Amino acid sequence: MTTTAITNIASLVTNDPSLGDGSPLGLILDAAVVIEGDRVVWTGESSKAPATDNAVDAGGRAVIPGFVDSHSHLLFAGDRTEEFNARMSGRPYTAGGIRTTVAATRAATDDVLDANVVRYLAEALRQGTTTFETKSGYGLTVEDEARALRIAARHTDEVTYLGAHVVPPDYADDPAGYVDLVTGPMLDACAPYARWVDVFCEKGAFDGDQARAILTAGMAKGLHPRVHANQLTYGPGVQLAVELDAASADHCTHLTDADVDALAQGNTVATLLPGAEFSTRANWPDARRLLDAGATVALSTDCNPGSSFTSSMPFCIALAVRDMGMTPDEALWSATAGGAAALRRTDIGRIAPGARADLVLLDAPSHVHLAYRPGVPLVQAVRQRGERAL
């Protein structure tokens, strides 16, 4: 395998304190990175870089790990423009919400769903995302959930079974029957394509007992749990996630002190999704409270057609800094290493020997520009598994 050195890096974020300035970002100034195949094999000061087969001049730009988007919903058809326009215009809107997307997704062909995933992944890559998780949840039948996961598995290893998104209209009078379906035939059909099992534990979706039954059934099939928790109201989702050692509790907008303590003391990552609050004008999650308590925090897009139709991790970083109490350093860590932790991965979200060579070159001298210059397309180049992807 050939080796390539990227030199003349103004600031390199390694997310490894032992390699850099001792901060969580492990920042190295005037740095270089050496890649061999799909792995990072060396990082350090540019003047100390070893000889390599090839060299790339970063031109005094910053290099950061590729973003790890650990929560998205890309398997869908249609959009909900009218719903969003009404919400932002202060008008009541009584269309079907998530059920509108379910109807459109069920009606779409496999080719349409696959093309949509490819489109949104390309969009995310242009903004620096090199790893993403995505879920089912807009089919809500055995056949439609299984095909969503089958399509997703063509594009990522981080596939989540979310048959327990909402109770579909055809089971409106029999939610217990739908839970039986989700934990029985639907799970059997979906488990071969998924790594994770998820549930929307929320008033109007699935209560604590239902969520426990769904998650434990998935775990019995070898799937690892994650939970949509405490987004709209206070509830049992976070506590259940920590109890079951879920990789992440996602949203975490309405938290008691006990919820915060549980996240701080457990292994479950608090994944915050500021795009949802932006798009619904809801209260922001309090990242500062979680960080000060010692919880691990991830940032993700929650890309979906209803409540957060963005694929931009830089946008979420800017929101987290402006409205959620995070510093630029914390927000970047949460969008890279934090996302990796939410997927229980150690090979991504960092630039260190042995890590996968997923790197983003910013058209700026520092990662701080991601929040300092919101909305500006700062991603100049992306390497994914060592290869130039953008």
Side-chain angles (χ1 to χ4, degrees):
M1 290 185 289
T2 59
T3 54
T4 300
I6 303 173
T7 62
N8 194 18
I9 299 170
S11 61
L12 172 67
V13 174
T14 68
N15 284 339
D16 185 336
S18 70
L19 296 176
D21 62 357
S23 72
L25 291 189
L27 198 66
I28 305 174
L29 302 181
D30 188 18
V33 176
V34 176
I35 299 168
E36 184 175 9
D38 66 351
R39 298 286 153 173
V40 174
V41 294
W42 185 90
T43 63
E45 296 177 8
S46 213
S47 62
K48 300 177 182 177
T52 57
D53 300 310
N54 304 301
V56 176
D57 190 335
R61 296 179 175 89
V63 172
I64 63 173
F67 295 123
V68 180
D69 191 347
S70 61
H71 183 126
S72 74
H73 302 252
L74 302 186
L75 268 298
F76 67 89
D79 69 20
R80 298 197 337 238
T81 303
E82 292 183 9
E83 175 185 331
F84 176 80
N85 191 36
R87 186 164 64 234
M88 294 299 108
S89 302
R91 299 194 305 270
Y93 185 78
T94 56
I98 199 171
R99 292 173 176 84
T100 301
T101 302
V102 170
T105 303
R106 287 178 177 179
T109 65
D110 288 12
D111 287 345
V112 166
L113 293 178
D114 191 83
N116 282 348
V117 173
V118 170
R119 170 190 170 193
Y120 298 127
L121 289 186
E123 188 177 272
L125 181 67
R126 291 195 297 270
Q127 298 168 93
T129 298
T130 53
T131 301
F132 79 100
E133 176 271 359
T134 200
K135 310 174 192 298
S136 64
Y138 290 122
L140 308 186
T141 67
V142 172
E143 180 181 350
D144 286 303
E145 287 293 292
R147 75 162 177 154
L149 296 178
R150 186 172 64 248
I151 292 168
R154 298 172 189 167
H155 303 283
T156 182
D157 295 331
E158 302 298 347
V159 177
T160 300
Y161 167 48
L162 184 61
H165 199 178
V166 294
V167 177
D170 30 328
Y171 278 87
D173 297 327
D174 186 17
Y178 186 66
V179 171
D180 289 341
L181 181 71
V182 168
T183 57
M186 189 182 287
L187 174 61
D188 292 340
C190 290
Y193 305 106
R195 181 184 179 202
W196 305 99
V197 59
D198 199 345
V199 59
F200 188 19
C201 184
E202 188 67 64
K203 184 178 180 180
F206 298 90
D207 64 24
D209 291 340
Q210 293 169 326
R212 181 188 300 278
I214 291 161
L215 293 172
T216 54
M219 293 166 69
K221 283 285 187 178
L223 304 182
H224 304 285
R226 49 201 323 111
V227 184
H228 282 62
N230 300 54
Q231 177 187 4
L232 306 177
T233 58
Y234 295 97
V238 163
Q239 296 286 341
L240 179 61
V242 174
E243 176 193 333
L244 296 180
D245 193 32
S248 65
D250 298 25
H251 288 288
C252 295
T253 308
H254 298 275
L255 301 178
T256 64
D257 289 344
D259 293 331
V260 174
D261 289 344
L263 288 165
Q265 294 169 19
N267 298 317
T268 299
V269 174
T271 300
L272 308 184
L273 310 167
E277 280 71 35
F278 176 87
S279 296
T280 59
R281 289 182 175 155
N283 293 330
W284 300 101
D286 190 346
R288 183 80 269 136
R289 181 184 178 199
L290 286 162
L291 290 164
D292 288 348
T296 301
V297 172
L299 285 177
S300 188
T301 65
D302 191 21
C303 186
N304 75 82
S307 61
S308 183
F309 204 2
T310 180
S311 58
S312 175
M313 292 289 276
F315 175 64
C316 292
I317 286 172
L319 291 180
V321 172
R322 168 63 177 80
D323 292 303
M324 289 163 46
M326 300 184 87
T327 68
D329 285 10
E330 290 168 339
L332 177 64
W333 190 95
S334 294
T336 51
L343 296 175
R344 297 209 164 152
R345 298 274 296 272
T346 59
D347 61 326
I348 55 175
R350 61 192 184 96
I351 302 175
R356 205 169 78 181
D358 294 345
L359 292 77
V360 175
L361 186 67
L362 299 177
D363 196 11
S366 167
H367 66 278
V368 177
H369 281 235
L370 291 165
Y372 179 43
R373 304 195 68 206
V376 177
L378 294 178
V379 174
Q380 198 267 342
V382 177
R383 284 183 179 264
Q384 196 170 28
R385 299 177 184 269
E387 297 293 327
R388 181 73 182 261
L390 179 70

